[in-house]
Amino acid sequence: QVQLLESGGGLVQAGGSLRLSCAASGRTFSYYGWFRQAPGKEREFVARIGWRGNNIYYSDSVKGRFTISRDNAKNTVYLQMNSLSPEDTADYYCAAGNRYSLDGNEYDYWGQGTQVTVSS
């Protein structure tokens, strides 16, 4: 049974940092992605990483501030978020799949999400 379990969300002031974790179990996938959805908005791609730590890609809105990484020994994917702004407030979701895509519809498994709130 595949499970993706996110953690690390919370409340932080603007300019602060958070690190999200996504612990995967059940099987491995070729690609892992982070997505987010703010209230009243559509789901948005944030970052992607390949199984070997390659094929890293960021959305323009987080490039230079967020860093995606993975620890294969722990089967965990991380999202280090720095210089957070209120515009980053959203529910953040980890996803896994085998398609080379930035489209959330191409991912097969999703975590339950973790809430990130950035106060001004």
Side-chain angles (χ1 to χ4, degrees):
Q1 182 180 359
V2 176
Q3 282 190 322
L4 301 175
L5 184 61
E6 301 102 331
S7 60
L11 173 64
V12 64
Q13 289 188 332
S17 299
L18 283 174
R19 189 178 80 157
L20 305 183
S21 299
C22 173
S25 62
R27 58 173 286 191
T28 58
F29 294 87
S30 297
Y31 301 102
Y32 293 81
W34 284 99
F35 295 78
R36 66 186 182 186
Q37 187 167 19
K41 294 187 177 180
E42 293 188 352
R43 184 177 61 197
E44 174 189 19
F45 166 81
V46 176
R48 179 202 66 202
I49 189 168
W51 165 249
R52 292 185 174 86
N54 56 350
N55 288 309
I56 291 175
Y57 193 88
Y58 299 98
S59 68
D60 288 342
S61 61
V62 307
K63 194 177 299 180
R65 299 187 299 121
F66 290 12
T67 302
I68 190 171
S69 63
R70 65 171 291 116
D71 183 336
N72 286 351
K74 297 181 179 180
N75 209 12
T76 300
V77 178
Y78 302 99
L79 185 68
Q80 177 67 44
M81 306 186 297
N82 299 328
S83 302
L84 285 162
S85 72
E87 289 69 33
D88 296 312
T89 294
D91 291 326
Y92 283 71
Y93 297 89
C94 174
N98 292 318
R99 299 178 183 88
Y100 185 78
S101 176
L102 307 180
D103 183 349
N105 293 322
E106 298 290 332
Y107 286 76
D108 299 311
Y109 292 92
W110 292 79
Q112 83 291 346
T114 185
Q115 188 174 54
V116 172
T117 303
V118 184
S119 62
S120 58

